[in-house]
Short mmCIF file of all heavy atoms in Angstrom, two decimals:
data_model
loop_
_atom_site.label_atom_id
_atom_site.label_comp_id
_atom_site.label_asym_id
_atom_site.label_seq_id
_atom_site.Cartn_x
_atom_site.Cartn_y
_atom_site.Cartn_z
N LEU A 1187 114.11 -6.02 54.45
CA LEU A 1187 113.65 -7.05 53.51
C LEU A 1187 114.15 -8.38 54.07
O LEU A 1187 115.32 -8.72 53.91
CB LEU A 1187 114.22 -6.76 52.12
CG LEU A 1187 113.77 -7.64 50.98
CD1 LEU A 1187 112.26 -7.55 50.76
CD2 LEU A 1187 114.47 -7.24 49.68
N GLU A 1190 117.63 -8.59 55.87
CA GLU A 1190 118.49 -7.56 55.30
C GLU A 1190 117.77 -6.22 55.27
O GLU A 1190 116.58 -6.14 55.56
CB GLU A 1190 118.88 -7.94 53.86
CG GLU A 1190 119.61 -9.25 53.78
CD GLU A 1190 119.82 -9.72 52.35
OE1 GLU A 1190 119.02 -9.34 51.47
OE2 GLU A 1190 120.77 -10.47 52.14
N MET A 1192 117.38 -2.73 52.68
CA MET A 1192 117.71 -2.01 51.44
C MET A 1192 117.85 -0.55 51.80
O MET A 1192 116.99 0.00 52.51
CB MET A 1192 116.56 -2.09 50.43
CG MET A 1192 116.08 -3.46 50.13
SD MET A 1192 114.62 -3.40 49.05
CE MET A 1192 115.29 -2.70 47.57
N MET B 73 116.97 -2.03 35.27
CA MET B 73 117.09 -2.38 36.70
C MET B 73 118.49 -2.90 36.97
O MET B 73 118.99 -3.72 36.21
CB MET B 73 116.04 -3.45 37.03
CG MET B 73 115.86 -3.69 38.51
SD MET B 73 114.86 -5.16 38.90
CE MET B 73 113.22 -4.54 38.83
N SER B 74 119.15 -2.39 38.03
CA SER B 74 120.49 -2.86 38.35
C SER B 74 120.42 -4.31 38.85
O SER B 74 119.34 -4.79 39.24
CB SER B 74 121.11 -1.98 39.43
OG SER B 74 120.50 -2.26 40.68
N ALA B 75 121.58 -4.99 38.83
CA ALA B 75 121.60 -6.38 39.28
C ALA B 75 121.14 -6.47 40.74
O ALA B 75 120.41 -7.40 41.11
CB ALA B 75 123.02 -6.93 39.11
N LEU B 76 121.56 -5.49 41.54
CA LEU B 76 121.19 -5.53 42.96
C LEU B 76 119.68 -5.32 43.13
O LEU B 76 119.04 -6.02 43.93
CB LEU B 76 121.97 -4.45 43.73
CG LEU B 76 121.83 -4.47 45.24
CD1 LEU B 76 122.18 -5.84 45.82
CD2 LEU B 76 122.69 -3.39 45.89
N ALA B 77 119.13 -4.39 42.35
CA ALA B 77 117.68 -4.15 42.44
C ALA B 77 116.92 -5.41 42.00
O ALA B 77 115.89 -5.76 42.59
CB ALA B 77 117.30 -2.95 41.58
N ALA B 78 117.43 -6.09 40.97
CA ALA B 78 116.78 -7.32 40.49
C ALA B 78 116.86 -8.40 41.58
O ALA B 78 115.90 -9.15 41.81
CB ALA B 78 117.44 -7.80 39.20
N GLU B 79 118.00 -8.45 42.25
CA GLU B 79 118.17 -9.44 43.33
C GLU B 79 117.18 -9.16 44.48
O GLU B 79 116.57 -10.06 45.03
CB GLU B 79 119.60 -9.30 43.84
CG GLU B 79 120.15 -10.51 44.55
CD GLU B 79 121.56 -10.21 45.03
OE1 GLU B 79 122.44 -9.97 44.18
OE2 GLU B 79 121.75 -10.17 46.25
N MET B 80 117.02 -7.88 44.78
CA MET B 80 116.08 -7.50 45.85
C MET B 80 114.64 -7.83 45.45
O MET B 80 113.84 -8.28 46.26
CB MET B 80 116.20 -6.00 46.15
CG MET B 80 117.48 -5.60 46.83
SD MET B 80 117.69 -6.39 48.45
CE MET B 80 118.83 -7.69 48.06
N ALA B 81 114.34 -7.63 44.15
CA ALA B 81 112.98 -7.93 43.67
C ALA B 81 112.74 -9.44 43.77
O ALA B 81 111.65 -9.88 44.16
CB ALA B 81 112.81 -7.45 42.23
N ALA B 82 113.76 -10.23 43.45
CA ALA B 82 113.61 -11.69 43.53
C ALA B 82 113.40 -12.12 44.98
O ALA B 82 112.59 -13.00 45.29
CB ALA B 82 114.85 -12.37 42.94
N ARG B 83 114.12 -11.45 45.88
CA ARG B 83 113.99 -11.76 47.31
C ARG B 83 112.58 -11.39 47.81
O ARG B 83 111.95 -12.12 48.57
CB ARG B 83 115.07 -10.97 48.05
CG ARG B 83 115.21 -11.22 49.47
CD ARG B 83 116.61 -11.69 49.84
NE ARG B 83 116.70 -11.91 51.28
CZ ARG B 83 116.14 -12.94 51.88
NH1 ARG B 83 115.50 -13.85 51.19
NH2 ARG B 83 116.24 -13.07 53.19
N ALA B 84 112.10 -10.23 47.35
CA ALA B 84 110.75 -9.79 47.75
C ALA B 84 109.71 -10.79 47.24
O ALA B 84 108.75 -11.11 47.95
CB ALA B 84 110.47 -8.40 47.20
N LEU B 85 109.92 -11.28 46.04
CA LEU B 85 108.98 -12.25 45.46
C LEU B 85 108.94 -13.52 46.32
O LEU B 85 107.87 -14.03 46.66
CB LEU B 85 109.42 -12.59 44.03
CG LEU B 85 108.56 -13.58 43.26
CD1 LEU B 85 107.18 -12.98 42.99
CD2 LEU B 85 109.21 -13.97 41.94
N GLN B 86 110.14 -13.95 46.71
CA GLN B 86 110.26 -15.15 47.56
C GLN B 86 109.56 -14.95 48.90
O GLN B 86 108.88 -15.84 49.40
CB GLN B 86 111.76 -15.33 47.79
CG GLN B 86 112.24 -16.68 48.12
CD GLN B 86 113.77 -16.59 48.30
OE1 GLN B 86 114.30 -15.56 48.76
NE2 GLN B 86 114.45 -17.65 47.94
N LEU B 87 109.69 -13.73 49.44
CA LEU B 87 109.11 -13.44 50.76
C LEU B 87 107.65 -12.97 50.69
O LEU B 87 107.02 -12.74 51.72
CB LEU B 87 109.95 -12.36 51.48
CG LEU B 87 111.40 -12.72 51.82
CD1 LEU B 87 112.18 -11.48 52.23
CD2 LEU B 87 111.44 -13.76 52.95
N GLY B 88 107.14 -12.79 49.47
CA GLY B 88 105.75 -12.30 49.32
C GLY B 88 105.57 -10.87 49.77
O GLY B 88 104.55 -10.52 50.37
N ILE B 89 106.56 -10.03 49.46
CA ILE B 89 106.52 -8.62 49.91
C ILE B 89 106.18 -7.69 48.74
O ILE B 89 106.74 -7.82 47.65
CB ILE B 89 107.89 -8.24 50.53
CG1 ILE B 89 108.01 -8.92 51.90
CG2 ILE B 89 108.06 -6.73 50.65
CD1 ILE B 89 109.32 -8.74 52.58
N LEU B 91 107.07 -4.95 47.17
CA LEU B 91 108.22 -4.04 47.18
C LEU B 91 107.87 -2.68 46.58
O LEU B 91 108.40 -1.67 47.03
CB LEU B 91 109.35 -4.69 46.36
CG LEU B 91 110.74 -4.15 46.53
CD1 LEU B 91 111.20 -4.28 47.97
CD2 LEU B 91 111.71 -4.87 45.61
N TYR B 137 109.59 1.05 47.17
CA TYR B 137 109.43 2.02 46.08
C TYR B 137 107.99 2.49 46.07
O TYR B 137 107.07 1.69 45.84
CB TYR B 137 109.73 1.38 44.73
CG TYR B 137 111.12 0.79 44.60
CD1 TYR B 137 111.33 -0.58 44.63
CD2 TYR B 137 112.22 1.63 44.42
CE1 TYR B 137 112.60 -1.12 44.49
CE2 TYR B 137 113.50 1.10 44.29
CZ TYR B 137 113.68 -0.28 44.32
OH TYR B 137 114.93 -0.79 44.18
N LEU B 314 106.77 -15.63 35.34
CA LEU B 314 105.61 -14.83 35.73
C LEU B 314 105.45 -13.72 34.71
O LEU B 314 106.44 -13.21 34.19
CB LEU B 314 105.85 -14.24 37.12
CG LEU B 314 106.17 -15.26 38.20
CD1 LEU B 314 106.57 -14.55 39.48
CD2 LEU B 314 104.97 -16.15 38.44
N SER B 317 105.48 -7.96 37.37
CA SER B 317 105.47 -7.81 38.83
C SER B 317 104.07 -7.58 39.42
O SER B 317 103.88 -7.71 40.63
CB SER B 317 106.39 -6.65 39.23
OG SER B 317 105.90 -5.45 38.65
N HIS B 320 102.54 -9.55 42.23
CA HIS B 320 103.61 -10.41 42.78
C HIS B 320 104.49 -9.62 43.75
O HIS B 320 104.68 -10.03 44.89
CB HIS B 320 104.46 -10.99 41.66
CG HIS B 320 103.71 -11.95 40.79
ND1 HIS B 320 103.55 -13.27 41.12
CD2 HIS B 320 103.05 -11.77 39.63
CE1 HIS B 320 102.83 -13.87 40.18
NE2 HIS B 320 102.51 -12.98 39.27
N THR B 321 105.04 -8.49 43.25
CA THR B 321 105.82 -7.63 44.15
C THR B 321 105.35 -6.18 44.02
O THR B 321 105.99 -5.28 44.53
CB THR B 321 107.33 -7.68 43.82
OG1 THR B 321 107.50 -7.35 42.43
CG2 THR B 321 107.92 -9.04 44.09
#
Side-chain angles (χ1 to χ4, degrees):
Chain A
L1187 185 61
E1190 300 172 335
M1192 307 174 64
Chain B
M73 192 191 275
S74 73
L76 187 55
E79 202 182 297
M80 290 299 101
R83 186 122 179 74
L85 180 67
Q86 204 180 32
L87 296 167
I89 287 175
L91 197 60
Y137 302 106
L314 304 172
S317 61
H320 293 276
T321 55

